Amino acid sequence: MLTVDFDRLRVGRRTRFIDVGAGAGRHSYEALRRGADVIAYDMDEVELKGVDGMFGAMQEVGEVPPGGTGQVRVGDILDMPYEDGTFDVVLASEILEHVPQDERAIAELVRILAPGGILAITVPRWLPERICWALSDEYHANEGGHIRIFKADALQAQVEAHGLQLTHREHAHALHAPYWWLKCAVGVNRDQHPAVRAYHQLLVWDMMKAPVATRLAEKALNPLIGKSVALYFHKPF
C-alpha cells in the first residue's frame, strides 16, 4: 500500500533514493523494483533486518532490474550521515508527526537532497487525524506516538522556507480513515472487535483484489477524507 505516486517521483534505474523512516519497507521495495539505488533508513534495527531480508529475496527471484541495489541503515532523522546533495529522491512518509524537532528534521531532508531532486513528505491529514485524537487518547498519547497534527499549508510553508518549490499536493487512503475512526471509537487495541475485524477484512480484500469499484470510490473520497496528505517538492539548481 503506497502513499506516494512513484511516477511523480520519477524513480527509475540508478535513481539515488532514500526512504527516511522506512519502517517495514513498503516504499523501499517499490523503488528497488524500479531499479533505484535504495537506502532504507530507520531507527528500528529489528524492522530493518526484515527489510534487508526482503531486499535479498527480491534479488533472488529476479524482481530487481540490473543495477538496482538495496541497503539498510540504522540512524536518526535529525543527524543523517550523508553529504549534502547525496540523493535524487528523498521520501519521508508518515514520520514527521512522530518527531519533536520537526524543523530540524525538515532541514536534514532538504540538506541531503540534490539540486534538481524531489522531496516527498506525507503526514496524516488534519481532519481525519483530528477526529482520531478526539475519539481516543490511546491512539496518539503513547511512546513514539503522534505528537502533532499538521495542517498541509503550514507544512508546505515550513519546507518552502528552505528554498524548495511545491510541485503537487494530493490525498490518499480515504478508505482507511473510517477504519481508524472505528478503532479509536471501540479501542485501538481491540483488533478482534467484530466491526473492526470486518472492516480490516474489507481493506485486505481491497488491497489484494484492487477492484475497479473501490479504486474509483477511493479516488472520489480522497479529496474529502483521505487519511494522508502527500506533498511533492522540487529543489532548484
Side-chain angles (χ1 to χ4, degrees):
M1 183 185 71
L2 302 176
T3 307
V4 294
D5 182 344
F6 271 75
D7 291 335
R8 289 193 181 279
L9 297 181
R10 301 199 300 270
V11 175
R13 293 193 178 187
R14 308 304 301 180
T15 300
R16 299 172 297 167
F17 178 97
I18 185 168
D19 183 5
V20 181
R26 58 198 172 102
H27 292 106
S28 296
Y29 302 146
E30 178 63 22
L32 187 56
R33 289 188 186 98
R34 292 174 179 242
D37 291 327
V38 180
I39 302 291
Y41 187 89
D42 202 283
M43 295 181 68
D44 191 330
E45 187 173 0
V46 174
E47 286 264 53
L48 288 182
K49 285 182 179 178
V51 174
D52 195 37
M54 181 60 75
F55 282 163
M58 290 171 65
Q59 288 280 2
E60 288 180 9
V61 300
E63 288 190 28
V64 182
T69 63
Q71 302 177 48
V72 300
R73 181 72 179 261
V74 178
D76 188 341
I77 190 175
L78 300 179
D79 186 21
M80 291 189 279
Y82 300 106
E83 302 273 341
D84 295 359
T86 297
F87 298 97
D88 304 309
V89 176
V90 176
L91 171 63
S93 183
E94 311 298 298
I95 182 69
L96 289 180
E97 67 273 15
H98 298 274
V99 181
Q101 296 172 272
D102 60 316
E103 285 284 2
R104 182 174 166 186
I106 290 169
E108 276 289 272
L109 296 172
V110 173
R111 181 186 67 78
I112 64 172
L113 180 64
I118 298 171
L119 168 64
I121 296 174
T122 83
V123 294
R125 188 181 185 180
W126 185 85
L127 178 58
E129 184 77 348
R130 188 68 191 87
I131 293 172
C132 286
W133 282 46
L135 289 171
S136 171
D137 288 337
E138 187 180 15
Y139 168 79
H140 66 93
N142 53 71
E143 185 176 356
H146 298 185
I147 62 171
R148 70 174 61 79
I149 304 176
F150 281 101
K151 289 189 174 180
D153 288 343
L155 178 56
Q156 176 183 333
Q158 283 181 269
V159 179
E160 289 177 333
H162 292 273
L164 272 62
Q165 300 167 347
L166 182 77
T167 59
H168 187 68
R169 182 195 295 186
E170 62 190 3
H171 301 99
H173 309 320
L175 297 181
H176 289 250
Y179 172 71
W180 280 102
W181 298 338
L182 181 59
K183 280 178 68 75
C184 289
V186 304
V188 293
N189 293 316
R190 295 185 63 193
D191 293 335
Q192 296 307 309
H193 185 282
V196 171
R197 188 170 57 192
Y199 202 123
H200 183 263
Q201 289 172 347
L202 171 66
L203 293 177
V204 171
W205 171 81
D206 177 56
M207 286 186 285
M208 296 299 292
K209 301 297 184 180
V212 173
T214 56
R215 295 279 69 78
L216 292 175
E218 186 159 65
K219 184 177 181 179
L221 289 171
N222 273 337
L224 301 173
I225 59 168
K227 182 74 168 65
S228 297
V229 57
L231 296 93
Y232 302 79
F233 299 90
H234 172 260
K235 188 174 189 178
F237 288 97

